[in-house]
Coordinates of all heavy atoms in Angstrom, one line a residue:
M1 N 3.4 -14.4 24.2 CA 4.6 -14.0 23.7 C 5.3 -12.8 24.4 O 4.6 -11.9 24.7 CB 4.4 -13.7 22.3 CG 5.6 -13.3 21.5 SD 5.3 -12.9 19.7 CE 5.3 -14.4 19.1
N2 N 6.5 -12.9 24.8 CA 7.2 -11.8 25.3 C 7.6 -10.8 24.4 O 8.1 -11.1 23.4 CB 8.4 -12.3 26.1 CG 8.1 -13.2 27.3 OD1 7.0 -13.0 27.9 ND2 9.1 -14.1 27.6
F3 N 7.2 -9.4 24.8 CA 7.7 -8.3 24.0 C 9.0 -7.8 24.5 O 9.1 -7.4 25.6 CB 6.7 -7.3 24.1 CG 6.9 -6.1 23.3 CD1 7.0 -6.0 21.9 CD2 7.1 -4.8 24.0 CE1 7.3 -4.8 21.3 CE2 7.4 -3.7 23.3 CZ 7.5 -3.7 21.9
N4 N 10.1 -7.7 23.7 CA 11.4 -7.2 24.1 C 11.7 -5.8 23.3 O 12.0 -5.8 22.2 CB 12.5 -8.2 23.6 CG 13.9 -7.9 24.1 OD1 14.1 -6.7 24.5 ND2 14.7 -8.7 24.1
P5 N 11.6 -4.7 24.0 CA 11.6 -3.4 23.4 C 13.2 -3.2 22.8 O 13.3 -2.6 22.0 CB 11.4 -2.4 24.5 CG 11.3 -3.2 25.9 CD 11.2 -4.6 25.5
L6 N 14.2 -3.9 23.4 CA 15.5 -3.8 23.0 C 15.6 -4.5 21.6 O 16.4 -4.0 20.7 CB 16.5 -4.4 24.0 CG 16.6 -3.8 25.4 CD1 17.6 -4.5 26.2 CD2 17.1 -2.3 25.2
E7 N 14.9 -5.6 21.5 CA 14.9 -6.1 20.2 C 14.3 -5.5 19.0 O 14.6 -5.4 17.9 CB 14.4 -7.5 20.3 CG 14.4 -8.4 19.0 CD 15.8 -9.1 18.8 OE1 16.5 -9.1 19.7 OE2 16.1 -9.3 17.5
L8 N 13.1 -4.7 19.5 CA 12.5 -3.9 18.6 C 13.3 -2.7 18.2 O 13.5 -2.3 16.9 CB 11.2 -3.3 19.3 CG 10.5 -2.4 18.5 CD1 9.9 -3.0 17.3 CD2 9.2 -1.7 19.2
M9 N 14.1 -2.1 19.0 CA 14.9 -1.0 18.8 C 16.0 -1.4 17.9 O 16.4 -0.8 16.9 CB 15.4 -0.4 20.0 CG 14.3 0.4 20.8 SD 15.0 1.1 22.4 CE 16.2 2.2 21.8
K10 N 16.6 -2.7 18.0 CA 17.6 -3.0 17.2 C 17.1 -3.3 15.7 O 18.0 -3.1 14.8 CB 18.1 -4.4 17.8 CG 19.3 -5.1 17.1 CD 19.9 -6.2 18.0 CE 19.4 -7.5 17.4 NZ 20.0 -8.6 18.0
N11 N 15.9 -3.7 15.5 CA 15.4 -4.0 14.2 C 14.6 -2.8 13.7 O 13.9 -2.9 12.8 CB 14.5 -5.2 14.3 CG 15.4 -6.4 14.6 OD1 16.6 -6.5 14.2 ND2 14.9 -7.2 15.4
A12 N 14.5 -1.6 14.4 CA 13.6 -0.6 14.0 C 13.8 -0.1 12.6 O 12.9 0.2 11.9 CB 14.0 0.7 15.0
K13 N 15.1 0.1 12.1 CA 15.3 0.5 10.7 C 14.7 -0.4 9.7 O 14.1 -0.1 8.7 CB 16.8 0.8 10.5 CG 17.2 2.2 11.2 CD 18.6 2.5 10.7 CE 19.0 3.6 11.6 NZ 19.7 4.6 10.8
E14 N 14.9 -1.7 10.0 CA 14.4 -2.7 9.0 C 13.0 -2.8 9.1 O 12.3 -2.9 8.0 CB 14.9 -4.2 9.4 CG 14.3 -5.3 8.7 CD 14.9 -6.7 9.3 OE1 16.0 -6.7 9.8 OE2 14.2 -7.6 8.9
I15 N 12.3 -2.8 10.3 CA 10.9 -2.7 10.4 C 10.3 -1.4 9.7 O 9.3 -1.5 8.9 CB 10.4 -2.6 11.9 CG1 10.8 -4.0 12.5 CG2 8.9 -2.3 12.0 CD1 10.5 -4.0 13.9
Q16 N 10.9 -0.2 9.9 CA 10.5 1.0 9.2 C 10.5 0.8 7.7 O 9.6 1.2 7.0 CB 11.4 2.2 9.7 CG 11.1 3.5 8.9 CD 9.8 4.0 9.5 OE1 9.4 3.7 10.6 NE2 9.1 4.8 8.6
A17 N 11.6 0.2 7.1 CA 11.7 0.1 5.7 C 10.7 -0.9 5.2 O 10.1 -0.6 4.1 CB 13.1 -0.5 5.4
Q18 N 10.4 -1.9 5.9 CA 9.4 -2.9 5.5 C 8.0 -2.2 5.6 O 7.1 -2.5 4.7 CB 9.3 -4.1 6.3 CG 10.7 -4.9 6.0 CD 10.9 -6.2 6.9 OE1 10.2 -6.2 7.9 NE2 11.7 -7.1 6.4
L19 N 7.7 -1.4 6.6 CA 6.4 -0.8 6.7 C 6.3 0.2 5.6 O 5.1 0.4 5.0 CB 6.3 -0.1 8.0 CG 6.0 -1.1 9.2 CD1 6.1 -0.2 10.5 CD2 4.6 -1.8 9.1
E20 N 7.2 0.9 5.2 CA 7.3 1.8 4.1 C 7.0 1.1 2.8 O 6.1 1.6 2.0 CB 8.5 2.7 4.0 CG 8.6 3.7 5.1 CD 10.0 4.4 5.2 OE1 10.9 4.0 4.2 OE2 10.3 5.3 5.9
K21 N 7.4 0.0 2.6 CA 7.2 -0.9 1.5 C 5.7 -1.2 1.4 O 5.1 -1.1 0.4 CB 8.1 -2.1 1.4 CG 7.8 -3.0 0.3 CD 8.7 -4.3 0.3 CE 8.5 -5.1 -0.8 NZ 8.8 -6.5 -0.6
V22 N 5.1 -1.7 2.6 CA 3.8 -2.0 2.5 C 2.9 -0.8 2.2 O 2.0 -0.9 1.5 CB 3.4 -2.6 3.8 CG1 1.8 -2.8 4.2 CG2 4.1 -4.1 4.1
Q23 N 3.3 0.4 2.8 CA 2.5 1.5 2.6 C 2.5 2.0 1.1 O 1.4 2.3 0.5 CB 3.2 2.7 3.4 CG 2.4 4.1 3.0 CD 1.9 4.6 4.4 OE1 2.0 4.3 5.4 NE2 1.0 5.6 4.2
A24 N 3.6 1.8 0.3 CA 3.8 2.0 -1.0 C 2.9 1.1 -1.9 O 2.4 1.3 -2.9 CB 5.2 1.9 -1.4
E25 N 2.7 -0.1 -1.3 CA 1.8 -1.0 -1.9 C 0.3 -0.9 -1.8 O -0.5 -1.6 -2.6 CB 2.2 -2.6 -1.5 CG 3.6 -3.1 -1.8 CD 3.9 -4.3 -1.2 OE1 3.0 -5.0 -0.6 OE2 5.0 -4.8 -1.5
L26 N -0.1 -0.1 -1.0 CA -1.5 0.1 -0.6 C -2.4 0.5 -2.0 O -3.5 0.0 -2.0 CB -1.8 1.3 0.3 CG -1.2 0.9 1.8 CD1 -1.5 2.1 2.7 CD2 -1.7 -0.3 2.2
D27 N -2.0 1.1 -2.9 CA -2.7 1.4 -4.1 C -2.8 0.1 -4.9 O -3.9 0.0 -5.7 CB -1.9 2.5 -4.9 CG -2.4 3.9 -4.2 OD1 -3.2 4.0 -3.6 OD2 -1.5 4.9 -4.5
T28 N -1.8 -0.8 -4.8 CA -2.0 -2.0 -5.6 C -2.8 -3.0 -5.0 O -3.2 -4.1 -5.7 CB -0.5 -2.5 -5.9 OG1 0.1 -2.9 -4.8 CG2 0.1 -1.4 -6.6
I29 N -3.0 -3.0 -3.7 CA -3.9 -4.0 -3.0 C -5.4 -3.8 -3.3 O -5.7 -2.6 -3.1 CB -3.5 -3.9 -1.5 CG1 -2.1 -4.4 -1.2 CG2 -4.5 -4.8 -0.8 CD1 -1.7 -4.1 0.3
T30 N -6.0 -4.7 -3.8 CA -7.4 -4.5 -4.0 C -8.1 -5.8 -3.4 O -7.6 -6.8 -3.4 CB -7.8 -4.4 -5.4 OG1 -7.4 -5.6 -6.1 CG2 -7.2 -3.2 -6.0
A31 N -9.3 -5.6 -3.1 CA -10.3 -6.8 -2.6 C -11.7 -6.3 -3.0 O -12.1 -5.2 -3.0 CB -10.1 -7.1 -1.2
T32 N -12.4 -7.4 -3.4 CA -13.8 -7.3 -3.8 C -14.7 -8.0 -2.8 O -14.4 -9.3 -2.6 CB -14.1 -7.8 -5.3 OG1 -13.2 -7.0 -6.1 CG2 -15.6 -7.5 -5.6
G33 N -15.5 -7.3 -2.2 CA -16.6 -7.9 -1.2 C -17.9 -8.0 -1.9 O -18.1 -7.3 -2.9
S34 N -18.7 -9.0 -1.5 CA -19.9 -9.2 -2.2 C -21.0 -9.4 -1.2 O -20.7 -9.9 0.1 CB -19.9 -10.4 -3.2 OG -19.6 -11.6 -2.6
S35 N -22.2 -9.3 -1.7 CA -23.4 -9.5 -0.7 C -24.6 -10.0 -1.6 O -24.5 -9.9 -2.8 CB -23.7 -8.4 0.1 OG -24.2 -7.3 -0.7
G36 N -25.6 -10.6 -0.9 CA -26.6 -11.1 -1.7 C -26.3 -12.2 -2.8 O -26.9 -12.1 -3.7
G37 N -25.4 -13.0 -2.4 CA -25.0 -14.2 -3.3 C -24.4 -13.5 -4.6 O -24.3 -14.2 -5.6
G38 N -23.6 -12.5 -4.4 CA -22.8 -11.8 -5.5 C -23.6 -10.9 -6.4 O -23.2 -10.3 -7.3
I39 N -24.9 -10.5 -5.8 CA -25.6 -9.6 -6.6 C -25.0 -8.2 -6.5 O -25.1 -7.4 -7.5 CB -27.1 -9.5 -5.9 CG1 -27.8 -10.8 -6.3 CG2 -27.9 -8.4 -6.6 CD1 -29.1 -11.0 -5.6
V40 N -24.5 -7.8 -5.5 CA -23.8 -6.5 -5.3 C -22.2 -6.8 -4.8 O -22.0 -7.6 -4.1 CB -24.3 -5.7 -4.2 CG1 -23.6 -4.5 -3.9 CG2 -25.9 -5.3 -4.5
K41 N -21.4 -6.2 -5.7 CA -19.9 -6.3 -5.4 C -19.4 -4.9 -5.2 O -19.7 -3.9 -6.0 CB -19.3 -7.0 -6.6 CG -19.8 -8.4 -6.7 CD -19.1 -9.1 -7.9 CE -19.6 -10.5 -8.1 NZ -19.1 -11.0 -9.3
V42 N -18.5 -4.7 -4.3 CA -17.8 -3.5 -3.8 C -16.3 -3.8 -4.0 O -15.8 -4.7 -3.3 CB -18.2 -2.9 -2.6 CG1 -17.4 -1.7 -2.3 CG2 -19.6 -2.5 -2.7
T43 N -15.6 -3.1 -4.7 CA -14.1 -3.3 -4.8 C -13.5 -2.1 -4.0 O -13.8 -0.9 -4.2 CB -13.6 -3.4 -6.2 OG1 -14.2 -4.4 -6.7 CG2 -12.0 -3.5 -6.2
M44 N -12.4 -2.4 -3.1 CA -11.7 -1.4 -2.4 C -10.2 -1.6 -2.6 O -9.7 -2.7 -2.9 CB -11.9 -1.5 -0.8 CG -13.1 -1.0 -0.2 SD -13.3 -1.2 1.5 CE -14.9 -0.7 1.7
N45 N -9.5 -0.4 -2.5 CA -8.1 -0.4 -2.5 C -7.5 -0.7 -1.1 O -8.2 -0.7 -0.1 CB -7.4 0.7 -3.3 CG -7.7 2.0 -2.7 OD1 -7.9 2.1 -1.4 ND2 -7.5 3.0 -3.4
G46 N -6.1 -0.8 -0.9 CA -5.5 -0.9 0.4 C -5.8 0.3 1.3 O -5.3 0.2 2.5
K47 N -6.1 1.4 0.8 CA -6.3 2.5 1.6 C -7.9 2.7 2.0 O -8.4 3.7 2.4 CB -6.0 3.9 0.8 CG -4.6 3.9 0.4 CD -4.3 5.2 -0.3 CE -2.8 5.3 -0.7 NZ -2.4 6.5 -1.5
F48 N -8.7 1.6 1.8 CA -10.0 1.4 2.0 C -10.9 2.4 1.4 O -11.9 2.9 1.8 CB -10.2 1.5 3.7 CG -9.5 0.5 4.5 CD1 -8.4 0.8 4.9 CD2 -10.0 -0.8 4.6 CE1 -7.7 -0.2 5.8 CE2 -9.3 -1.7 5.3 CZ -8.3 -1.5 6.0
E49 N -10.4 2.8 0.2 CA -11.3 3.6 -0.7 C -12.0 2.7 -1.7 O -11.5 1.8 -2.3 CB -10.4 4.5 -1.5 CG -9.6 5.5 -0.7 CD -8.5 6.2 -1.4 OE1 -8.0 5.7 -2.4 OE2 -8.0 7.2 -0.9
V50 N -13.4 3.0 -1.9 CA -14.1 2.3 -2.8 C -13.8 2.6 -4.2 O -13.8 3.8 -4.6 CB -15.6 2.5 -2.5 CG1 -16.4 1.8 -3.6 CG2 -16.0 2.0 -1.2
T51 N -13.3 1.7 -4.9 CA -12.9 1.9 -6.3 C -13.9 1.4 -7.5 O -13.7 1.8 -8.6 CB -11.4 1.4 -6.6 OG1 -11.6 0.0 -6.5 CG2 -10.5 2.0 -5.8
G52 N -14.9 0.7 -6.9 CA -15.8 0.2 -7.9 C -17.0 -0.5 -7.2 O -16.9 -1.0 -6.2
V53 N -18.1 -0.3 -8.0 CA -19.4 -1.0 -7.5 C -20.1 -1.6 -8.6 O -20.2 -1.0 -9.6 CB -20.4 0.0 -6.8 CG1 -21.6 -0.6 -6.4 CG2 -19.6 0.7 -5.7
Q54 N -20.4 -3.0 -8.5 CA -21.1 -3.6 -9.6 C -22.4 -4.1 -8.8 O -22.5 -4.7 -7.8 CB -20.4 -4.9 -10.0 CG -19.0 -4.6 -10.7 CD -18.4 -5.8 -11.1 OE1 -18.3 -6.7 -10.4 NE2 -17.5 -5.7 -12.2
I55 N -23.5 -3.8 -9.6 CA -25.0 -4.2 -9.2 C -25.6 -5.0 -10.3 O -25.7 -4.4 -11.3 CB -25.7 -2.9 -8.8 CG1 -25.1 -2.1 -7.6 CG2 -27.1 -3.3 -8.3 CD1 -25.7 -0.8 -7.2
D56 N -26.0 -6.3 -9.9 CA -26.7 -7.0 -10.9 C -28.0 -6.3 -11.1 O -28.8 -5.9 -10.1 CB -26.9 -8.5 -10.3 CG -27.4 -9.4 -11.2 OD1 -28.6 -9.0 -11.9 OD2 -27.0 -10.4 -11.4
P57 N -28.5 -6.1 -12.3 CA -29.7 -5.5 -12.6 C -30.9 -6.2 -11.7 O -32.0 -5.4 -11.6 CB -30.0 -5.8 -14.0 CG -28.6 -5.7 -14.6 CD -27.8 -6.5 -13.6
I58 N -30.8 -7.4 -11.5 CA -31.9 -8.0 -10.6 C -32.2 -7.5 -9.3 O -33.1 -7.4 -8.7 CB -31.6 -9.6 -10.6 CG1 -32.9 -10.3 -10.1 CG2 -30.5 -9.8 -9.5 CD1 -32.7 -11.8 -10.2
A59 N -31.0 -6.8 -8.8 CA -31.2 -6.1 -7.5 C -31.9 -4.8 -7.5 O -32.1 -4.2 -6.5 CB -29.7 -5.9 -7.0
V60 N -32.0 -4.2 -8.7 CA -32.5 -2.9 -8.9 C -34.1 -3.0 -9.0 O -34.7 -3.3 -10.1 CB -32.0 -2.2 -10.1 CG1 -32.6 -0.8 -10.3 CG2 -30.6 -2.2 -10.1
D61 N -34.7 -2.7 -7.8 CA -36.2 -2.8 -7.8 C -36.5 -1.5 -7.1 O -36.2 -1.1 -5.8 CB -36.6 -4.0 -6.9 CG -38.2 -4.0 -6.6 OD1 -38.8 -3.0 -7.3 OD2 -38.7 -5.1 -6.2
P62 N -37.1 -0.6 -7.8 CA -37.6 0.7 -7.3 C -38.3 0.7 -6.1 O -38.4 1.7 -5.3 CB -38.1 1.5 -8.4 CG -38.1 0.7 -9.6 CD -37.6 -0.6 -9.2
R63 N -39.0 -0.4 -5.9 CA -39.9 -0.6 -4.8 C -39.1 -1.0 -3.4 O -39.7 -1.0 -2.2 CB -41.0 -1.6 -5.0 CG -41.9 -1.2 -6.2 CD -42.8 -2.3 -6.6 NE -41.8 -3.3 -7.0 CZ -42.2 -4.6 -7.4 NH1 -43.6 -4.8 -7.4 NH2 -41.4 -5.5 -8.0
D64 N -37.8 -1.4 -3.6 CA -37.1 -1.9 -2.5 C -35.6 -1.3 -2.5 O -34.7 -2.0 -2.4 CB -37.0 -3.5 -2.5 CG -36.7 -4.0 -1.2 OD1 -36.5 -3.4 -0.2 OD2 -36.5 -5.3 -1.1
V65 N -35.7 -0.1 -2.5 CA -34.3 0.7 -2.5 C -33.5 0.3 -1.2 O -32.4 0.1 -1.2 CB -34.4 2.1 -2.8 CG1 -33.1 3.0 -2.4 CG2 -34.9 2.4 -4.1
P66 N -34.2 0.4 0.0 CA -33.5 0.1 1.3 C -32.8 -1.3 1.2 O -31.6 -1.5 1.7 CB -34.6 0.0 2.3 CG -35.7 0.9 1.7 CD -35.7 0.7 0.3
M67 N -33.3 -2.3 0.5 CA -32.6 -3.6 0.5 C -31.3 -3.5 -0.4 O -30.3 -3.9 0.0 CB -33.6 -4.6 -0.2 CG -32.9 -6.1 -0.2 SD -32.5 -6.9 -1.7 CE -33.1 -6.0 -3.1
L68 N -31.4 -2.7 -1.5 CA -30.3 -2.5 -2.4 C -29.3 -1.7 -1.5 O -27.9 -2.0 -1.5 CB -30.5 -1.7 -3.6 CG -29.4 -1.3 -4.6 CD1 -28.6 -2.7 -4.9 CD2 -29.9 -0.6 -5.7
Q69 N -29.5 -0.7 -0.8 CA -28.6 0.0 0.1 C -28.0 -0.9 1.2 O -26.8 -0.7 1.3 CB -29.5 1.2 0.8 CG -29.9 2.2 -0.1 CD -30.8 3.2 0.4 OE1 -31.5 2.9 1.5 NE2 -30.9 4.4 -0.1
D70 N -28.8 -1.7 1.8 CA -28.3 -2.7 2.6 C -27.2 -3.7 2.1 O -26.2 -4.1 2.7 CB -29.3 -3.6 3.4 CG -30.2 -2.7 4.3 OD1 -29.7 -1.6 4.7 OD2 -31.3 -3.3 4.7
L71 N -27.5 -4.1 0.7 CA -26.6 -5.0 0.1 C -25.2 -4.2 -0.3 O -24.1 -4.9 -0.1 CB -27.1 -5.5 -1.2 CG -28.2 -6.6 -1.1 CD1 -29.0 -6.8 -2.4 CD2 -27.7 -7.8 -0.5
I72 N -25.3 -2.9 -0.6 CA -24.2 -2.3 -0.8 C -23.3 -2.1 0.5 O -22.0 -2.2 0.5 CB -24.4 -0.9 -1.4 CG1 -25.0 -1.1 -2.8 CG2 -23.2 0.1 -1.5 CD1 -25.7 0.2 -3.5
V73 N -23.9 -1.8 1.5 CA -23.2 -1.6 2.8 C -22.6 -3.0 3.3 O -21.3 -3.0 3.5 CB -24.1 -1.1 4.1 CG1 -23.6 -1.4 5.3 CG2 -24.5 0.3 3.7
A74 N -23.4 -4.1 3.1 CA -22.7 -5.5 3.5 C -21.6 -5.8 2.5 O -20.6 -6.3 3.0 CB -23.9 -6.4 3.3
A75 N -21.6 -5.5 1.3 CA -20.5 -5.7 0.4 C -19.3 -4.9 0.7 O -18.2 -5.4 0.7 CB -20.9 -5.5 -1.1
S76 N -19.5 -3.7 1.1 CA -18.4 -2.7 1.6 C -17.8 -3.4 2.8 O -16.5 -3.4 2.9 CB -19.0 -1.4 1.9 OG -19.4 -0.8 0.7
H77 N -18.6 -3.7 3.7 CA -18.0 -4.4 5.0 C -17.3 -5.7 4.5 O -16.1 -5.8 5.1 CB -19.1 -4.8 6.1 CG -19.7 -3.7 6.6 ND1 -19.2 -3.0 7.8 CD2 -20.8 -2.8 6.3 CE1 -19.8 -2.0 8.1 NE2 -20.8 -1.9 7.4
D78 N -17.7 -6.4 3.6 CA -16.9 -7.6 3.2 C -15.6 -7.2 2.6 O -14.6 -8.0 2.8 CB -17.8 -8.4 2.2 CG -17.2 -9.9 1.9 OD1 -16.7 -10.4 2.8 OD2 -17.4 -10.3 0.7
A79 N -15.6 -6.3 1.8 CA -14.4 -5.9 1.1 C -13.3 -5.3 2.1 O -12.1 -5.5 2.0 CB -14.6 -4.8 0.0
N80 N -13.9 -4.6 3.1 CA -13.1 -4.0 4.2 C -12.4 -5.1 5.0 O -11.3 -5.0 5.2 CB -14.0 -3.1 5.0 CG -13.3 -2.3 6.1 OD1 -12.6 -3.0 6.8 ND2 -13.5 -1.0 6.1
A81 N -13.1 -6.1 5.3 CA -12.6 -7.3 6.1 C -11.5 -7.9 5.2 O -10.4 -8.3 5.9 CB -13.7 -8.2 6.4
K82 N -11.7 -8.1 3.9 CA -10.5 -8.7 3.0 C -9.3 -7.9 3.0 O -8.2 -8.4 3.1 CB -11.2 -8.9 1.6 CG -12.3 -10.1 1.7 CD -12.9 -10.3 0.4 CE -13.9 -11.5 0.5 NZ -14.6 -11.6 -0.9
I83 N -9.4 -6.6 2.9 CA -8.4 -5.7 2.9 C -7.6 -5.7 4.2 O -6.4 -5.9 4.3 CB -8.7 -4.2 2.5 CG1 -9.2 -3.9 1.2 CG2 -7.5 -3.2 2.9 CD1 -8.2 -4.2 0.2
R84 N -8.3 -5.7 5.2 CA -7.7 -5.9 6.6 C -6.9 -7.2 6.8 O -5.9 -7.2 7.3 CB -8.8 -5.8 7.6 CG -9.3 -4.4 8.0 CD -10.4 -4.5 9.0 NE -11.1 -3.1 9.1 CZ -10.7 -2.2 9.9 NH1 -9.6 -2.3 10.6 NH2 -11.2 -1.1 9.9
E85 N -7.4 -8.3 6.2 CA -6.8 -9.5 6.3 C -5.4 -9.4 5.5 O -4.4 -9.9 5.9 CB -7.6 -10.7 5.6 CG -8.7 -11.2 6.5 CD -9.6 -12.1 5.8 OE1 -9.2 -12.7 4.8 OE2 -10.8 -12.3 6.4
V86 N -5.5 -8.9 4.3 CA -4.4 -8.7 3.4 C -3.3 -7.8 4.1 O -2.1 -8.2 4.1 CB -4.7 -8.1 2.1 CG1 -3.3 -7.8 1.3 CG2 -5.4 -9.1 1.3
L87 N -3.6 -6.7 4.7 CA -2.7 -5.9 5.4 C -2.1 -6.6 6.6 O -1.0 -6.3 6.9 CB -3.4 -4.6 5.7 CG -3.7 -3.6 4.6 CD1 -4.5 -2.4 5.1 CD2 -2.6 -3.3 3.8
Q88 N -3.0 -7.4 7.4 CA -2.5 -8.0 8.6 C -1.4 -9.1 8.2 O -0.4 -9.1 8.8 CB -3.6 -8.6 9.3 CG -3.2 -9.3 10.7 CD -2.9 -8.1 11.6 OE1 -3.4 -7.2 11.6 NE2 -1.8 -8.4 12.4
A89 N -1.6 -9.7 7.1 CA -0.8 -10.7 6.5 C 0.6 -10.2 6.1 O 1.5 -10.7 6.3 CB -1.4 -11.5 5.3
K90 N 0.4 -9.0 5.5 CA 1.7 -8.2 5.0 C 2.4 -7.7 6.1 O 3.7 -7.6 6.2 CB 1.3 -7.2 3.9 CG 1.0 -7.9 2.5 CD 0.8 -6.7 1.6 CE 0.6 -7.3 0.2 NZ 1.8 -7.9 -0.4
A91 N 1.8 -7.0 7.1 CA 2.5 -6.0 8.0 C 2.5 -6.8 9.3 O 3.4 -6.5 10.3 CB 1.8 -4.6 8.1
G92 N 1.6 -7.6 9.7 CA 1.6 -8.4 11.0 C 2.9 -8.9 11.4 O 3.4 -8.7 12.6
P93 N 3.6 -9.6 10.5 CA 4.7 -10.2 10.8 C 5.9 -9.3 11.3 O 6.8 -9.5 12.0 CB 5.3 -11.1 9.6 CG 4.0 -11.4 9.0 CD 3.1 -10.1 9.3
L94 N 5.7 -8.1 10.7 CA 6.8 -7.0 11.0 C 6.6 -6.5 12.4 O 7.5 -6.0 13.0 CB 6.5 -5.8 10.0 CG 6.5 -6.0 8.5 CD1 6.3 -4.8 7.8 CD2 8.0 -6.6 8.2
L95 N 5.3 -6.7 12.9 CA 5.1 -5.9 14.1 C 5.2 -6.9 15.4 O 5.2 -6.6 16.5 CB 3.7 -5.3 14.2 CG 3.6 -4.2 13.2 CD1 2.1 -3.6 13.1 CD2 4.5 -3.1 13.4
G96 N 5.4 -8.3 14.9 CA 5.8 -9.2 15.9 C 4.8 -9.3 17.1 O 3.7 -9.5 17.0
G97 N 5.4 -9.1 18.3 CA 4.6 -9.2 19.5 C 4.0 -7.9 19.9 O 3.4 -7.7 21.1
M98 N 3.8 -6.9 19.0 CA 3.2 -5.6 19.3 C 1.7 -5.6 19.3 O 1.2 -4.6 19.4 CB 3.9 -4.5 18.4 CG 5.2 -4.3 18.7 SD 6.1 -3.0 17.6 CE 4.8 -2.0 17.2
G99 N 1.1 -6.9 18.9 CA -0.4 -6.8 18.8 C -1.0 -6.5 17.5 O -2.0 -6.1 17.4
G100 N -0.1 -6.4 16.4 CA -0.7 -6.2 15.1 C -0.9 -4.8 14.8 O -0.3 -3.9 15.6
L101 N -1.6 -4.4 13.9 CA -1.9 -3.2 13.4 C -3.0 -2.4 14.1 O -3.4 -1.3 13.8 CB -2.0 -3.1 11.9 CG -0.9 -3.4 11.0 CD1 -1.5 -3.6 9.5 CD2 0.2 -2.3 11.1
G102 N -3.8 -3.3 14.9 CA -4.9 -2.5 15.4 C -6.1 -2.5 14.4 O -7.1 -1.7 14.4
L103 N -6.0 -3.3 13.3 CA -6.9 -3.4 12.2 C -8.1 -4.2 12.6 O -8.0 -5.2 13.2 CB -6.4 -3.9 11.0 CG -5.1 -3.0 10.3 CD1 -4.5 -3.7 9.1 CD2 -5.6 -1.7 10.0

């Protein structure tokens, strides 16, 4: 795809307004990632802040804390990937041939 800087400049104000709208929506965007077949769930907002963690009691084994820690990390990564997908879908078209958000 050819990148036309003149076209970008022509649409800069519109792109800026749309990006500001997406930025304002970041608090309302949420995604929940899970791991261990749903045993651990982590919810993030559009700013990649963890807003909630749910742990099924079956995952709480004092003898295997490292496994629980790994499940929390995996669920966080899953939620992060889902937020990135939402943001790419919302802002990606605004950036056209600029290569996306680098997310």
Side-chain angles (χ1 to χ4, degrees):
M1 176 182 280
N2 291 335
F3 176 68
N4 183 347
L6 296 176
E7 187 69 25
L8 177 64
M9 289 175 59
K10 188 169 95 174
N11 296 322
K13 287 188 186 226
E14 179 183 333
I15 292 170
Q16 178 71 27
Q18 290 175 340
L19 286 174
E20 286 173 3
K21 180 183 174 198
V22 170
Q23 178 120 16
E25 293 176 0
L26 292 180
D27 285 332
T28 64
I29 296 171
T30 62
T32 300
S34 65
S35 64
I39 292 174
V40 174
K41 296 178 183 174
V42 173
T43 302
M44 286 185 177
N45 65 20
K47 295 178 181 178
F48 298 97
E49 298 167 337
V50 174
T51 59
V53 176
Q54 294 177 329
I55 301 172
D56 187 311
I58 196 168
V60 182
D61 181 353
R63 298 168 298 176
D64 199 2
V65 172
M67 186 242 353
L68 179 56
Q69 292 168 336
D70 289 344
L71 288 171
I72 292 169
V73 169
S76 296
H77 286 271
D78 189 37
N80 186 304
K82 289 177 180 177
I83 290 291
R84 288 177 187 274
E85 287 175 15
V86 170
L87 293 177
Q88 189 67 38
K90 286 185 173 286
L94 301 177
L95 300 177
M98 292 175 34
L101 291 171
L103 298 175

